[in-house]
Amino acid sequence: MTRLHDDVRLAGAYQSGNGMPESSLRAWAKLIGSFAPCPAPAVVEIGAGTGMFCAALARWQRASPVVGIDPSVPMLEQARRHNALPGVHYLVGSAEALPVRTRSFDLALLSRVVHHLPDRPSCARELARVLRPGGVVVIRTTFRERLDALVYDYWPQLRAIDEQRFPGEEEVLADFTPAGFTVREAGSFAQPVTTGLRAFHQRMRNRPLSKFAYLTEAEFEAGLRCLGTDAESEPLTAPWPVHERYDLLVLTLA
């Protein structure tokens, strides 16, 4: 398996394969922005990928500036292609050595990335450095104890894999508390990501999730066939919207 952040194919499939209806993206941006300690916050996103949330926060929450940081050059190329807006900047960098100035942001977002971090305590210390006093970290993820994504119904091998890859909520708190963060809020939020199962099947065909790299070709194709069979049974006039739920852990810097 190649290093995921070097995967040009994944970067090309990621934007369309992980998007959501505009109403859902706007709802997420509104919720994330509601945790900011001030209007028009300066935002840094760690593991920004193709920049979907960077652009959304700039559009609907008047965040400025917004800096998206990711170790993947291919992902950031897609971000500049699909989500380039005034005041939104994309930088190559790691969570353990953020290429930005000290005390320059009000809010940090880690969306679907905390399980990828090789050194969460170092990331926490870096976020404590770049956030202003009272700054907020929003962690959007699925904790180990609540893995419930639809993909597990069709690729059950991924649940066992993700139980090893994804941290639990208490583990993340243990990594961030020593850096000066305290819990402000913990909960979850769900929004539709596709209008129906047929649309979900179409997007999964392009393997837009990094976790698919852990499957064999035969495992992936078997799950896709099962998903396709269920999608064919979906009524054309009454599709079954696919929702995705994520845990939210909101931390404040003392």
Side-chain angles (χ1 to χ4, degrees), residues 39-117:
V43 174
V44 59
E45 183 178 5
I46 312 304
T50 59
M52 178 173 62
F53 278 109
C54 288
L57 290 167
R59 287 179 64 191
W60 293 309
Q61 292 300 302
R62 297 185 298 114
S64 180
V66 179
V67 177
I69 297 173
D70 201 287
S72 171
V73 172
M75 283 285 190
L76 293 183
E77 287 175 350
Q78 294 295 321
R80 296 183 183 104
R81 177 181 177 185
H82 294 288
N83 291 302
L85 289 175
V88 177
H89 312 279
Y90 298 109
L91 301 175
V92 177
S94 74
E96 298 79 25
L98 299 174
V100 292
R101 293 179 298 177
T102 297
R103 293 191 176 183
S104 47
F105 296 97
D106 304 297
L107 184 146
L109 172 63
L110 287 78
S111 175
R112 293 172 51 178
V113 74
V114 72
H115 60 287
H116 287 300
L117 301 179

Side-chain angles (χ1 to χ4, degrees), residues 185-251:
E185 189 169 326
S188 66
F189 190 59
Q191 286 291 302
V193 292
T194 64
T195 55
L197 203 59
R198 281 185 173 87
F200 186 75
H201 173 251
Q202 283 297 114
R203 76 163 46 178
M204 290 302 105
R205 290 176 63 183
N206 292 326
R207 307 186 194 200
L209 306 178
S210 61
K211 65 182 70 201
F212 285 145
Y214 293 90
L215 298 176
T216 66
E217 184 73 17
E219 289 170 338
F220 175 77
E221 291 297 334
L224 191 66
R225 283 194 300 272
C226 290
L227 175 56
T229 298
D230 286 352
E232 284 300 314
S233 66
E234 178 184 63
L236 290 172
T237 57
W240 306 322
V242 174
H243 288 71
E244 285 185 354
R245 182 205 65 82
Y246 288 97
D247 294 309
L248 281 175
L249 183 60
V250 184
L251 307 175

Side-chain angles (χ1 to χ4, degrees), residues 131-142:
L131 286 172
R132 297 171 179 135
V136 171
V137 174
V138 178
I139 298 174
R140 176 181 182 262
T141 187
T142 308

Side-chain angles (χ1 to χ4, degrees), residues 5-60:
H5 65 263
D6 291 332
D7 191 337
V8 175
R9 186 214 61 79
L10 177 61
Y14 196 88
Q15 176 72 17
S16 60
N18 290 274
M20 62 186 79
E22 184 167 291
S23 59
S24 297
L25 183 58
R26 187 167 187 165
W28 270 112
K30 181 178 179 180
L31 178 61
I32 294 166
S34 71
F35 300 118
C38 60
V43 174
V44 59
E45 183 178 5
I46 312 304
T50 59
M52 178 173 62
F53 278 109
C54 288
L57 290 167
R59 287 179 64 191
W60 293 309

